[in-house]
Amino acid sequence: MSNKYLKLAELPTQYAKRMNFLSNRIFNEVSRPTNKTSMRVVKLFEKKPLQKTKYFVNWYPRHWETGYMIMKLRKYGLFRDEHLDFKDEMNRLRALRGKAPPVKELKPGKSPKNRI
């Protein structure tokens, strides 16, 4: 039965042309015959938007979580960050020379827990 309608749609009658036009509009296809350059634009708009594709959404890793994990591993001695090791060593040597910034003293009655 569907074969009959397909044959009717291929006929060059005005009715068949209008039905093809409506069918294409309903199913979001190109409704009128277009040239090759216009079809290129149609193909671009057929694709899924880039911000909705998983490739672009999941491109960058979770920097905050990985940075926190690396700092914890460094604290436990399981990860070596040469740059932070160098900075710590420079601060240690600066403190040995007496060039370290002064340590803030707490006023009496104030505990470090109350500070924000």
Side-chain angles (χ1 to χ4, degrees):
M1 185 140 184
S2 65
N3 192 14
K4 176 183 169 184
Y5 291 112
L6 288 175
K7 286 182 181 177
L8 281 174
E10 292 174 358
L11 293 176
T13 62
Q14 189 65 25
Y15 175 76
K17 289 179 186 176
R18 293 296 298 161
M19 290 308 291
N20 279 332
F21 178 77
L22 287 172
S23 171
N24 290 339
R25 291 210 40 197
I26 290 170
F27 296 113
N28 290 331
E29 296 173 4
V30 179
S31 53
R32 294 189 178 111
T34 57
N35 59 5
K36 196 173 186 178
T37 56
S38 297
M39 283 306 289
R40 195 172 120 227
V41 174
V42 171
K43 295 288 184 197
L44 284 173
F45 281 112
E46 278 180 357
K47 292 180 183 175
K48 198 174 188 180
L50 292 179
Q51 64 268 20
K52 292 195 175 189
T53 56
K54 284 189 173 185
Y55 179 76
F56 284 94
V57 171
N58 299 328
W59 177 262
Y60 292 106
R62 301 181 141 201
H63 292 297
W64 189 85
E65 287 89 350
T66 53
Y68 183 74
M69 181 186 68
I70 286 173
M71 293 307 285
K72 281 286 193 187
L73 290 175
R74 182 173 181 266
K75 186 177 175 183
Y76 297 143
L78 299 173
F79 181 79
R80 294 291 304 256
D81 187 350
E82 291 182 9
H83 179 64
L84 286 178
D85 290 345
F86 178 78
K87 285 169 55 175
D88 289 344
E89 183 66 17
M90 289 297 112
N91 287 336
R92 187 183 72 80
L93 293 174
R94 191 174 291 122
L96 285 176
R97 290 193 313 263
K99 302 283 186 172
V103 179
K104 292 184 180 179
E105 295 180 18
L106 292 177
K107 294 180 182 176
K110 295 258 184 174
S111 65
K113 292 180 183 177
N114 293 341
R115 294 174 48 189
I116 296 175

